[in-house]
Amino acid sequence: MGNIAAIVGRPNVGKSTLFNRLVGMRKAIVDDTAGTTRDRHYGKCEWNGLEFSIIDTGGYATDGEDVFEEEIRKQVLLAVEEADVVIFMTDVTTGITDLDETVADLLRRSSKPVLLAVNKVDNNDRIYGSHEFYGLGLGDPYCLCSVSGSGTGDLLDALVALFPEQKDTEKEKELILPKIAVVGRPNVGKSSLTNALLGTERNIVTPVAGTTRDSILSRYNKYGFDFYLIDTAGLRKKTKVTEDLEFYSVLRSVRSIEESDVCVLMLDASQGIEAQDMNIFHLIVKNRKGCVIVVNKWDLIEKESNTMKIYTEELKRKLAPFNDVPIVFTSVLNKQRIHDVLQTVMRVYENRCRRIPTSELNEFLLPIIENTPPPSIKGKYVRIKYGTQLPTPTPQFAFFVNLPQYVKDSYRRFLENKIRGNWDFEGVPMQIYFRQK
């Protein structure tokens, strides 16, 4: 679970084209929801039955001559830190440039496996030209043309072979307990929450720059709760570069979100929910994880009688369409309502594991569908025969229909609301599919 590959390289060598091609192989970026701008640079890819995430660092470059090199340096360092394998893209038509040399130098110093991809190789002369890239000292170059897709298969075979072995049985035992990740922008109180929960004896694992940035699992076993906290907070020294916060915190959340079952998204009460929090929220939903929103520093807000109610309504409005999410108001410093956070998290975890027997589902839904069937289209009546919950780790339902292509999104939401109204799926994204009967 949770293998990540990153594509790095200087601008205009075709990083995004390769990224789009890889992600497009499996239409995984399901919703292009407005507001998920940065999401475009993170997607899922599948090759030889192995699913992994891919990050296009190029989507983050800022223009401006002098900062260019610094920007690329920053992207490479981040990719090296976050990814399991790095794909370094170059362009055969320009040969090796100074910037390529700089990137290669950074990559050689890291211990991460690197695949050198030479792009725009679409004829024999250019294959010959690709030999120059042996000079970068990063092994055999993979010739490809990301526009036509030639050569991507070989690159993917090599990529998948470099991923770390899947977890061994020792690790498998861990999987039985729920895994909780605390995510959010910098300075909203993630470390304080982790510290408040784990007390002082938390495992500060050698905070040396360059320690592998795999998240640490800390076992929480008190007051009848037993789970793993994925602790990624507070393990990193600030890098010398002035951090572009949006760039960092969204990408840094990727791995912890992928490895978790339920995510605690922390917000700062005084700032409300901002674009970047929304990006993290969309990542949680896209990865089908449970979500609890914790509004921290609530003690600093001027209260009136219904402040909390107004705040909650405003939040839910922004989170729509998926806004069946529990919201807990806390002050971590004053240890206010931390216990509530735990109870809510465990409830969401149970909701995510909830299984509804097919008979029970249809007994409840079929009369409703009978009364409000999907609207007929072009004189054709859409008939839903029955529904069933799929045996997936997250709540997904399939409904068998005579004309699935005619069922609109609004009807999907209607069914989802009915299911949520009758069974507790609070905090858990739900997928509904219509299949040909």
Side-chain angles (χ1 to χ4, degrees):
M1 250 306 279
N3 281 326
I4 297 180
I7 307 175
V8 302
R10 58 191 172 78
N12 304 328
V13 289
K15 294 190 294 295
S16 298
T17 318
L18 178 67
F19 171 80
N20 290 340
R21 175 162 284 283
L22 296 185
V23 171
M25 286 178 172
R26 127 163 225 220
K27 303 278 186 283
I29 303 246
V30 193
D31 46 346
D32 298 331
T33 327
T36 55
T37 39
R38 297 279 185 206
D39 264 10
R40 280 200 304 274
H41 310 299
Y42 159 85
K44 290 256 195 263
C45 175
E46 191 180 312
W47 188 252
N48 291 350
L50 185 76
E51 187 180 80
F52 57 93
S53 296
I54 199 144
I55 293 171
D56 168 19
T57 58
Y60 295 87
T62 54
D63 296 333
E65 287 312 302
D66 48 340
V67 289
F68 230 25
E69 194 158 334
E70 192 46 49
E71 262 318 297
I72 288 168
R73 224 187 123 73
K74 205 155 67 169
Q75 287 170 24
V76 172
L77 292 174
L78 184 89
V80 163
E81 210 177 332
E82 298 294 317
D84 298 301
V85 182
V86 179
I87 298 173
F88 172 29
M89 279 202 87
T90 55
D91 177 348
V92 74
T93 59
T94 56
I96 296 177
T97 66
D98 294 352
L99 217 45
D100 290 331
E101 292 276 13
T102 313
V103 175
D105 192 43
L106 286 169
L107 292 175
R108 277 198 307 270
R109 285 187 210 160
S110 81
S111 52
K112 284 286 158 80
V114 176
L115 291 172
L116 173 60
V118 182
N119 194 17
K120 306 184 189 172
V121 180
D122 49 13
N123 60 37
N124 284 341
D125 286 352
R126 289 185 172 182
I127 291 177
Y128 184 69
S130 71
H131 298 329
E132 171 189 353
F133 289 86
Y134 277 103
L136 290 173
L138 289 168
D140 297 338
Y142 287 83
C143 296
L144 53 103
C145 176
S146 55
V147 174
S148 68
S150 71
T152 41
D154 294 345
L155 180 71
L156 283 169
D157 285 341
L159 178 68
V160 171
L162 285 173
F163 281 135
E165 282 298 302
Q166 294 304 303
K167 297 192 170 83
D168 52 6
T169 45
E170 199 46 46
K171 282 275 182 77
E172 286 298 322
K173 289 179 189 157
E174 296 174 351
L175 297 178
I176 304 160
L177 288 180
K179 292 202 181 108
I180 312 303
V182 180
V183 294
R185 280 178 301 148
N187 306 326
V188 288
K190 299 189 293 294
S191 311
S192 317
L193 177 63
T194 311
N195 287 341
L197 290 176
L198 298 176
T200 44
E201 73 286 352
R202 61 195 286 243
N203 34 6
I204 299 281
V205 176
T206 54
V208 183
T211 336
T212 47
R213 249 281 296 101
D214 267 353
S215 36
I216 298 154
L217 293 182
S218 311
R219 176 103 176 249
Y220 181 91
N221 193 348
K222 292 184 210 164
Y223 312 119
F225 294 109
D226 193 1
F227 57 84
Y228 283 113
L229 202 59
I230 297 181
D231 180 14
T232 47
L235 273 182
R236 185 179 282 99
K237 282 186 172 171
K238 283 273 184 285
T239 34
K240 295 284 179 288
V241 290
T242 51
E243 295 200 355
D244 165 355
L245 292 183
E246 178 159 355
F247 172 28
Y248 280 80
S249 50
V250 176
L251 282 195
R252 292 230 158 111
S253 314
V254 168
R255 190 181 290 267
S256 9
I257 290 173
E258 292 200 336
E259 290 183 359
S260 68
D261 297 307
V262 179
C263 298
V264 174
L265 173 56
M266 288 192 79
L267 305 178
D268 182 324
S270 56
Q271 294 174 333
I273 190 161
E274 296 183 354
Q276 202 183 329
D277 304 308
M278 287 304 291
N279 286 335
I280 297 175
F281 178 70
H282 287 303
L283 272 177
I284 296 171
V285 175
K286 184 180 287 180
N287 277 291
R288 300 175 180 162
K289 305 298 183 184
C291 182
V292 174
I293 289 182
V294 170
V295 181
N296 190 23
K297 309 186 187 176
W298 191 241
D299 50 321
L300 307 177
I301 298 290
E302 292 289 317
K303 306 286 188 304
E304 285 172 22
S305 56
N306 55 355
T307 315
M308 207 177 267
K309 184 166 175 278
I310 292 170
Y311 201 98
T312 303
E313 283 167 4
E314 176 63 9
L315 252 182
K316 296 221 165 186
R317 194 179 58 72
K318 289 187 175 163
L319 297 176
F322 172 51
N323 55 11
D324 186 13
V325 183
I327 297 168
V328 185
F329 293 87
T330 63
S331 162
V332 174
L333 279 182
N334 304 342
K335 299 236 184 332
Q336 262 173 1
R337 288 191 282 277
I338 289 182
H339 204 73
D340 292 1
V341 174
L342 291 184
Q343 284 174 326
T344 312
V345 163
M346 294 323 285
R347 200 181 79 240
V348 167
Y349 177 73
E350 281 159 21
N351 293 349
R352 191 168 180 257
C353 303
R354 191 176 307 292
R355 294 282 166 269
I356 303 171
T358 302
S359 54
E360 201 179 308
L361 182 71
N362 289 298
E363 222 165 89
F364 170 72
L365 277 182
L366 287 180
I368 294 174
I369 293 171
E370 195 81 4
N371 284 335
T372 33
S376 60
I377 291 187
K378 300 176 187 157
K380 294 200 168 76
Y381 289 100
V382 182
R383 291 193 179 81
I384 296 179
K385 307 286 198 302
Y386 72 98
T388 183
Q389 185 171 358
L390 300 172
T392 47
T394 60
Q396 301 181 37
F397 297 87
F399 287 89
F400 294 90
V401 191
N402 58 345
L403 301 164
Q405 68 276 28
Y406 287 146
V407 186
K408 291 275 194 288
D409 261 0
S410 53
Y411 199 77
R412 181 180 273 120
R413 277 198 293 278
F414 166 75
L415 287 179
E416 179 176 332
N417 290 338
K418 292 295 176 201
I419 294 173
R420 286 184 185 280
N422 198 48
W423 291 279
D424 187 2
F425 282 108
E426 191 184 21
V428 188
M430 182 186 295
Q431 271 71 34
I432 291 182
Y433 306 102
F434 295 103
R435 296 194 175 154
Q436 185 77 44
K437 176 59 182 152

